[in-house]
Amino acid sequence: MIENQKIRPAKVIGPLGEPLTLDTLPPPDTTRWVVRRKAEVVAAVNGGLLSVDEVCERYGLTVEEFAGWQRAIDRSGMPGLRVTRIQHYRSLYERQQKY
């Protein structure tokens, strides 16, 4: 029975250093995904507040879309989440990998 219980933190540290809880995450009906909101959702998963499956169900995302957010943060930090700069950061990352 204990294996089925998941221990979750009550809060995690967000991308800007603020505490994040389930109540302070973006609302489930969010349609406009700005950089800060994407980063908060990624931080919630990385901190164990929510699982990837829960995030995808809650926000209507695909696993691939969420994984893209995670990759963007890993590669370029929060600026990598900016939709208008995806190509720029992708080419920078690819150049860095060559050297």
Side-chain angles (χ1 to χ4, degrees), residues 12-27 30-46 55 58-59 61 66 69-70 72-73 77-83:
V12 297
I13 302 301
L16 302 176
E18 78 289 1
L20 285 177
T21 65
L22 289 176
D23 295 331
T24 60
L25 284 174
T30 298
T31 56
R32 187 164 183 270
W33 286 101
V34 295
V35 171
R36 180 187 50 81
R37 290 184 187 139
K38 291 177 185 179
E40 286 175 346
V41 172
V42 171
V45 171
N46 290 344
V55 163
R58 179 177 172 141
Y59 295 111
L61 303 171
F66 178 76
W69 293 358
Q70 281 187 313
I73 286 180
M78 284 180 62
L81 291 170
R82 292 181 15 206
V83 173

Side-chain angles (χ1 to χ4, degrees), residues 47-75:
L49 196 59
L50 290 171
S51 71
V52 173
D53 292 334
E54 290 169 328
V55 163
C56 291
E57 183 178 326
R58 179 177 172 141
Y59 295 111
L61 303 171
T62 63
V63 174
E64 293 80 13
E65 186 174 15
F66 178 76
W69 293 358
Q70 281 187 313
R71 270 193 311 276
I73 286 180
D74 290 345
R75 291 178 178 175

